[in-house]
Amino acid sequence: MSQKDGVKKHELHALSGAYDTYLEHDESEKNHFDDVCRAFRQHATFVMSQWANHQFRLHALPQSQRDLLPDALKHGTPDFNKRASHYKDAAIRNQFCFDCMLRHAGVPHSQQQVTPITKVPSDEQMSKITSVLKSLARDWSAEGKRERDMAYVPIIEQIKKYMPLSDLLPHDRPTIAVPGAGVGRLAFELTKLGYAVQGNEFSLYMLLASDFMLNGGIATPDRPLRISPWILESRNSHSSADRCRSIPIPDVDPTTLLNSGGNAMPPIFSMAAGDFVSIYSNPSEAGKWDCVCSCFFMDACPNIVEILQIIHKMLKPGGYLMNFGPLLYHWSGPPMRPDDESPDAYHSRFQHLDDRYLKSVDLSYEDVKETMMKVGFEVVEEHVGMESLYTADERSMQSTMYNCVNFVARKRRSEYVKQEL
Amino acid sequence: MSQKDGVKKHELHALSGAYDTYLEHDESEKNHFDDVCRAFRQHATFVMSQWANHQFRLHALPQSQRDLLPDALKHGTPDFNKRASHYKDAAIRNQFCFDCMLRHAGVPHSQQQVTPITKVPSDEQMSKITSVLKSLARDWSAEGKRERDMAYVPIIEQIKKYMPLSDLLPHDRPTIAVPGAGVGRLAFELTKLGYAVQGNEFSLYMLLASDFMLNGGIATPDRPLRISPWILESRNSHSSADRCRSIPIPDVDPTTLLNSGGNAMPPIFSMAAGDFVSIYSNPSEAGKWDCVCSCFFMDACPNIVEILQIIHKMLKPGGYLMNFGPLLYHWSGPPMRPDDESPDAYHSRFQHLDDRYLKSVDLSYEDVKETMMKVGFEVVEEHVGMESLYTADERSMQSTMYNCVNFVARKRRSEYVKQEL
């Protein structure tokens, strides 16, 4: 991931168009926006390349081995044609979903490409496109409920426990920031409960998808879109039908709720597009928030000490940090070697990499907790070993199980005040 | 992994020295042996580089953030010195274990390095060294029992069910081949039960370790070696103590059992070092085996159709293939892109990669099963979704859960005989 994966500047938007202002910024931001849209447009083309690759590989087997394959893997048989057609359907289905997002964003979709394609997105970009599909399944499908119950429900219950709403007037609703909001379900659920919520997301891939889901008004439980998020998973499949299966999104209608104010209180919701550190370290954010709700987020930044400082600063005295997640440290980076005789030698080996990959300090949870205390928090509730999945295919033979840490920390009211000045 | 990761030729050994004949072969095999031994010698040096890297990264934080760190992360404090010493102890502990293996193999260990080190192993080689430690924990520690119970017990129970021993004379003991034998526990358990077992392993890293465990006579439950297999895992740790913890190996004494013949029947056990395909496709192996016991193995070869053919050929009529594992397809390789206009264009992008990465045909289990029927098997028992771990750190916040397929397939006695001729 490069700096270009998100907006650098601080952008606040009410209910839609979190990325509109991209086009008003400098050339590099516009180019990044174009790159992301181009990747969205080429998903199906990539999916079909994988089909071609599988055919090449099968064809390279000796005839004596090809004879032993199921009919569905023999070119031209009825079973083959049926499977090919299911695969292609899945590619088109996903592309239609991406095209809807592009249309909502007001840019050409895959069917409107007027100039010939001269630039093919990188494998890394295409993998981000697939992550969008998997995140949509996690956040907005009935199949994703199992994951949401594991990760979101504990946090939501803690928010309800420590910041009950019942007695509050509309303008007293607690303010909650949700960094790493992804495609928006957790932020949406908290808004639905009546909290004043701001999601924050860095990745433009995710922003395009969340804006479409929350504000597009196209996909509803009655007229869902269908996606096949696992179409590119050739490994650990029980059957090709598992890979090609489609799941409907969404399982709830976010637009009705957010726009109509069907609630007694009109919803308060915004998205802040851009880097968490640059947005929330702004002095105007200091002491403004009742709660930061961090779900699979704290380990997504290279410097966890800085993250804790910023969260502490942005909270009101007595405000809460609710955390749920592992410590994967996405920016952990490659190992150092004995022949790297200095930090410079180590860094110079990886000049092609985003510099953040060489910076993560990878603290253990024990050290995170001690740092958190010194920053000025007190832990009021803590659970370890909470099992959780993240965009797992429930039909795959392989899944990553996270044994998460879940805690509620409170910004101390009186102590450490000096540190903050 | 390159061709050089194992022996190419067919080598059979009774109880020891599975790699001795390396030195009798061509120069490239000798070089590979030297490379592997060099990697074994440098484990502790690599581990200490990682420590240095962490210090560099911490030191690069602004002073205001360093002040917030726990004492154990502040250079020179008693807590820091204590943690540094635990970390170094773990590095030395692992190195001692590797040095014992090298001594058993009759080559210089890390303390006997006479010439200055001029060649530093690759990161990939060092990662294989770490895999050896993790495999030792899986196979030979009490902590590994949970994993062994998940993966080995179902297979062992099926072997006992379909090939009971009680009524057999010593020379009638069923013969079982265990490809992908790793560091040897499953093969050992079957030998202990009284079967005539041959393990097969390609990786010289694993062969050096399994030979030491099975025949070294150094480590016993009374006088165990201690290893710290997770010392390099900086992510998803609850505490630095978790990473540095040591576990004793072995939990049973393999040498006593295999050498003394404490059994009523003397054990029959051998290791075949080298590539499964080249060893067992030899005509001399045809119809020789009562059982092939494949645990986390079938997906480790690029061509699963060929594997099924060879297993079928090497079995006696009515012989069994017992399988337990996922379909991870280790050789699945990088994705093809729309701008790869032909298989050649795709292949030419990856000339630095082992060619096998571009060949795996990644069949779904449904297709594997149909191929297996056509090869000449019948499935007599089948279980899917069997949860299993593989060299997982039980204290980590992240683990990979495999939902394995477990089946017993039998080589048909009469049909398809023509195919075999």
Side-chain angles (χ1 to χ4, degrees), chain A residues 29-196:
Chain A
E29 288 197 359
K30 183 172 179 323
N31 288 342
H32 175 56
F33 183 82
D34 290 345
D35 282 349
V36 171
C37 292
R38 184 182 301 110
F40 271 70
R41 278 193 289 270
Q42 293 191 41
H43 172 75
T45 313
F46 265 81
V47 171
M48 293 315 296
S49 300
Q50 288 310 95
W51 175 267
N53 193 18
H54 195 232
Q55 300 310 312
F56 289 143
R57 289 178 176 209
L58 288 171
H59 195 76
L61 296 177
Q63 186 63 48
S64 60
Q65 290 175 2
R66 271 191 284 158
D67 289 343
L68 296 167
L69 294 174
D71 279 356
L73 294 174
K74 287 176 185 163
H75 192 80
T77 66
D79 282 357
F80 176 91
N81 293 341
K82 197 168 148 194
R83 192 179 288 190
S85 148
H86 285 164
Y87 187 89
K88 197 177 173 185
D89 287 350
I92 292 171
R93 188 183 295 136
N94 289 342
Q95 190 61 57
F96 181 72
C97 179
F98 288 127
D99 284 353
C100 289
M101 292 178 198
L102 292 167
R103 193 167 47 195
H104 176 68
V107 295
H109 56 69
S110 72
Q111 301 303 303
Q112 294 170 319
Q113 187 75 39
V114 281
T115 54
I117 294 171
T118 51
K119 195 172 169 185
V120 178
S122 67
D123 295 349
E124 196 190 357
Q125 286 178 299
M126 294 319 298
S127 140
K128 284 180 185 160
I129 295 291
T130 300
S131 294
V132 170
L133 291 174
K134 292 180 183 171
S135 295
L136 287 172
R138 171 180 171 88
D139 268 16
W140 295 106
S141 81
E143 189 169 318
K145 184 173 187 298
R146 185 176 165 222
E147 283 193 11
R148 295 196 300 274
D149 285 351
M150 289 168 145
Y152 299 161
V153 168
I155 292 187
I156 292 171
E157 291 305 314
Q158 285 162 348
I159 286 175
K160 282 158 55 175
K161 173 177 168 188
Y162 290 95
M163 302 189 299
L165 277 168
S166 50
D167 304 331
L168 298 171
L169 297 170
H171 57 274
D172 286 336
R173 281 184 269 172
T175 51
I176 304 178
V178 184
V183 293
R185 183 63 177 260
L186 178 57
F188 165 79
E189 290 294 338
L190 296 172
T191 309
K192 198 172 76 171
L193 287 172
Y195 293 94

Side-chain angles (χ1 to χ4, degrees), chain A residues 71-344:
Chain A
D71 279 356
L73 294 174
K74 287 176 185 163
H75 192 80
T77 66
D79 282 357
F80 176 91
N81 293 341
K82 197 168 148 194
R83 192 179 288 190
S85 148
H86 285 164
Y87 187 89
K88 197 177 173 185
D89 287 350
I92 292 171
R93 188 183 295 136
N94 289 342
Q95 190 61 57
F96 181 72
C97 179
F98 288 127
D99 284 353
C100 289
M101 292 178 198
L102 292 167
R103 193 167 47 195
H104 176 68
V107 295
H109 56 69
S110 72
Q111 301 303 303
Q112 294 170 319
Q113 187 75 39
V114 281
T115 54
I117 294 171
T118 51
K119 195 172 169 185
V120 178
S122 67
D123 295 349
E124 196 190 357
Q125 286 178 299
M126 294 319 298
S127 140
K128 284 180 185 160
I129 295 291
T130 300
S131 294
V132 170
L133 291 174
K134 292 180 183 171
S135 295
L136 287 172
R138 171 180 171 88
D139 268 16
W140 295 106
S141 81
E143 189 169 318
K145 184 173 187 298
R146 185 176 165 222
E147 283 193 11
R148 295 196 300 274
D149 285 351
M150 289 168 145
Y152 299 161
V153 168
I155 292 187
I156 292 171
E157 291 305 314
Q158 285 162 348
I159 286 175
K160 282 158 55 175
K161 173 177 168 188
Y162 290 95
M163 302 189 299
L165 277 168
S166 50
D167 304 331
L168 298 171
L169 297 170
H171 57 274
D172 286 336
R173 281 184 269 172
T175 51
I176 304 178
V178 184
V183 293
R185 183 63 177 260
L186 178 57
F188 165 79
E189 290 294 338
L190 296 172
T191 309
K192 198 172 76 171
L193 287 172
Y195 293 94
V197 176
Q198 180 170 99
N200 161 237
E201 178 56 49
F202 180 68
S203 162
L204 188 48
Y205 299 88
M206 295 295 174
L207 285 166
L208 280 163
S210 66
D211 183 48
F212 170 71
M213 290 309 296
L214 292 168
N215 308 306
I218 303 292
T220 63
D222 290 341
R223 297 187 57 190
L225 282 171
R226 301 191 77 93
I227 54 174
S228 294
W230 296 284
I231 185 65
L232 287 174
E233 305 294 327
S234 64
R235 316 196 296 175
N236 291 309
S237 290
H238 285 94
S239 75
S240 69
D242 283 350
R243 285 176 65 183
C244 293
R245 81 186 187 278
S246 72
I247 57 166
I249 56 168
D251 63 328
V252 292
D253 188 348
T255 51
T256 310
L257 181 97
L258 289 177
N259 294 329
S260 72
N263 244 331
M265 303 187 288
I268 302 178
F269 176 76
S270 62
M271 276 295 285
D275 170 52
F276 175 80
V277 170
S278 39
I279 292 176
Y280 295 99
S281 64
N282 191 301
S284 68
E285 300 291 330
K288 184 172 148 185
W289 299 90
D290 291 298
C291 178
V292 172
C293 176
S294 142
C295 183
F296 281 82
F297 168 74
M298 291 226 303
D299 58 329
C301 298
N303 184 347
I304 197 167
V305 183
E306 185 178 30
I307 295 299
L308 290 170
Q309 283 182 305
I310 291 170
I311 292 174
H312 185 261
K313 205 174 164 191
M314 69 193 273
L315 287 174
K316 295 174 189 169
Y320 292 100
L321 163 60
M322 313 279 191
N323 177 73
F324 186 99
L327 288 170
L328 186 57
Y329 294 117
H330 299 256
W331 298 101
S332 186
M336 189 164 169
R337 298 162 48 83
D339 46 349
D340 291 324
E341 287 179 4
S342 68
D344 285 347

Side-chain angles (χ1 to χ4, degrees), chain A residues 42 45-46 49-50 52-54 56-58 61-62 64-74 79 83 120-123 126 146 234-241 243 299 303 305-306 309 325-343 346 349-350 356-368 370-372 374-375 384-385 387 394 396-405 419, chain B residues 42 45-46 49-50 52-54 56-58 61-62 64-74 79 83 120-123 126 146 234-241 243 299 303 305-306 309 325-343 346 349-350 356-368 370-372 374-375 384-385 387 394 396-405 419:
Chain A
Q42 293 191 41
T45 313
F46 265 81
S49 300
Q50 288 310 95
N53 193 18
H54 195 232
F56 289 143
R57 289 178 176 209
L58 288 171
L61 296 177
S64 60
Q65 290 175 2
R66 271 191 284 158
D67 289 343
L68 296 167
L69 294 174
D71 279 356
L73 294 174
K74 287 176 185 163
D79 282 357
R83 192 179 288 190
V120 178
S122 67
D123 295 349
M126 294 319 298
R146 185 176 165 222
S234 64
R235 316 196 296 175
N236 291 309
S237 290
H238 285 94
S239 75
S240 69
R243 285 176 65 183
D299 58 329
N303 184 347
V305 183
E306 185 178 30
Q309 283 182 305
L327 288 170
L328 186 57
Y329 294 117
H330 299 256
W331 298 101
S332 186
M336 189 164 169
R337 298 162 48 83
D339 46 349
D340 291 324
E341 287 179 4
S342 68
Y346 168 68
R349 272 206 297 140
F350 299 105
R356 285 175 288 180
Y357 278 116
L358 312 173
K359 285 187 173 165
S360 176
V361 290
D362 293 13
L363 303 190
S364 70
Y365 176 58
E366 188 182 79
D367 291 337
V368 168
E370 204 171 329
T371 304
M372 200 155 63
K374 292 198 179 187
V375 166
V384 296
E387 292 200 338
E394 64 178 25
S396 171
M397 294 185 194
Q398 183 188 14
S399 61
T400 301
M401 182 58 78
Y402 295 98
N403 296 299
C404 293
V405 162
Q419 275 200 10
Chain B
Q42 292 191 43
T45 313
F46 265 80
S49 302
Q50 287 310 94
N53 193 17
H54 195 232
F56 289 143
R57 290 176 174 210
L58 288 171
L61 295 178
S64 61
Q65 290 175 3
R66 270 192 283 159
D67 289 343
L68 296 168
L69 294 173
D71 279 357
L73 294 174
K74 288 177 186 164
D79 282 358
R83 191 180 289 189
V120 179
S122 66
D123 295 350
M126 295 318 299
R146 185 177 165 221
S234 64
R235 315 196 297 175
N236 291 309
S237 290
H238 285 93
S239 74
S240 69
R243 285 176 64 183
D299 59 330
N303 185 348
V305 183
E306 184 177 30
Q309 283 182 306
L327 288 170
L328 187 57
Y329 294 118
H330 299 257
W331 297 101
S332 186
M336 189 165 169
R337 298 160 50 82
D339 47 349
D340 291 324
E341 287 177 4
S342 68
Y346 168 68
R349 272 205 298 139
F350 298 106
R356 285 175 287 180
Y357 278 116
L358 311 174
K359 285 188 174 164
S360 175
V361 290
D362 293 13
L363 302 190
S364 70
Y365 175 57
E366 189 183 79
D367 291 337
V368 168
E370 204 171 328
T371 304
M372 201 157 61
K374 292 197 178 187
V375 167
V384 295
E387 293 201 337
E394 64 179 24
S396 172
M397 293 185 196
Q398 182 186 15
S399 61
T400 301
M401 181 59 78
Y402 294 99
N403 297 298
C404 293
V405 162
Q419 275 201 10

Side-chain angles (χ1 to χ4, degrees), chain B residues 157-400:
Chain B
E157 291 305 315
Q158 285 161 348
I159 286 174
K160 282 160 50 175
K161 173 178 168 188
Y162 290 95
M163 303 189 298
L165 276 168
S166 51
D167 304 331
L168 298 172
L169 296 170
H171 57 273
D172 286 335
R173 282 184 270 174
T175 51
I176 303 178
V178 184
V183 294
R185 182 63 177 260
L186 179 57
F188 164 79
E189 291 295 336
L190 296 172
T191 310
K192 198 173 77 171
L193 286 172
Y195 293 94
V197 176
Q198 180 169 100
N200 161 238
E201 178 56 48
F202 180 68
S203 162
L204 188 48
Y205 298 88
M206 295 294 173
L207 285 166
L208 280 162
S210 66
D211 183 49
F212 170 71
M213 290 310 295
L214 293 168
N215 308 305
I218 303 292
T220 63
D222 291 341
R223 297 188 57 190
L225 282 172
R226 302 190 77 92
I227 55 174
S228 295
W230 296 285
I231 185 65
L232 287 174
E233 304 295 326
S234 64
R235 315 196 297 175
N236 291 309
S237 290
H238 285 93
S239 74
S240 69
D242 282 351
R243 285 176 64 183
C244 292
R245 79 185 189 278
S246 72
I247 57 167
I249 55 167
D251 63 328
V252 293
D253 187 349
T255 51
T256 310
L257 181 99
L258 289 177
N259 294 330
S260 73
N263 244 330
M265 303 187 287
I268 302 180
F269 176 76
S270 62
M271 276 296 284
D275 171 53
F276 175 80
V277 171
S278 39
I279 292 175
Y280 296 99
S281 64
N282 191 302
S284 67
E285 300 291 329
K288 183 172 148 185
W289 298 89
D290 292 298
C291 179
V292 172
C293 176
S294 143
C295 183
F296 282 81
F297 168 74
M298 291 225 303
D299 59 330
C301 298
N303 185 348
I304 196 166
V305 183
E306 184 177 30
I307 294 300
L308 290 170
Q309 283 182 306
I310 291 170
I311 292 173
H312 186 261
K313 203 173 164 191
M314 68 192 274
L315 288 174
K316 295 175 188 168
Y320 292 100
L321 163 60
M322 313 279 191
N323 178 72
F324 186 98
L327 288 170
L328 187 57
Y329 294 118
H330 299 257
W331 297 101
S332 186
M336 189 165 169
R337 298 160 50 82
D339 47 349
D340 291 324
E341 287 177 4
S342 68
D344 286 347
Y346 168 68
H347 283 243
S348 70
R349 272 205 298 139
F350 298 106
Q351 288 178 351
H352 59 290
L353 283 185
D354 188 314
D355 194 43
R356 285 175 287 180
Y357 278 116
L358 311 174
K359 285 188 174 164
S360 175
V361 290
D362 293 13
L363 302 190
S364 70
Y365 175 57
E366 189 183 79
D367 291 337
V368 168
K369 214 160 70 168
E370 204 171 328
T371 304
M372 201 157 61
M373 312 286 188
K374 292 197 178 187
V375 167
F377 285 101
E378 58 192 337
V379 173
V380 294
E381 193 173 325
E382 181 188 43
H383 311 274
V384 295
M386 295 189 74
E387 293 201 337
S388 182
L389 298 161
Y390 195 91
T391 67
D393 175 2
E394 64 179 24
R395 298 200 196 174
S396 172
M397 293 185 196
Q398 182 186 15
S399 61
T400 301

